[in-house]
Amino acid sequence: MPNAPGFAGGWLLVHGELDNAIDLQRAQAMADGLPRASMVVVPGAGHASNLTHPEPVNAALAAFLARL
């Protein structure tokens, strides 16, 4: 992400614990490479954690937005 260092808003990565499409280590590497990034792993969720586990995803989004 070439423009990522210039983005001042921060980043939130939400990853399902059981995601088979994107492996957890790859998602963590992306979070580690982005400035002001945080990552939330949703227990028991797969790739579409926002659809299957909306409560923890919405809580993570609300907490992230409150920090901006």
Side-chain angles (χ1 to χ4, degrees):
M1 300 185 125
N3 295 325
F7 182 70
W11 302 84
L12 174 65
L13 286 83
V14 178
H15 189 80
E17 173 188 38
L18 305 176
D19 189 336
N20 290 326
I22 300 171
D23 122 336
L24 181 58
Q25 291 78 16
R26 185 172 182 167
Q28 186 62 58
M30 178 181 263
D32 292 344
L34 291 169
R36 295 168 306 284
S38 58
M39 186 166 135
V40 173
V41 177
V42 181
H47 187 67
S49 58
N50 60 316
L51 299 176
T52 61
H53 294 69
E55 294 84 7
V57 172
N58 289 341
L61 286 170
F64 173 75
L65 292 172
R67 292 191 303 267
L68 295 182

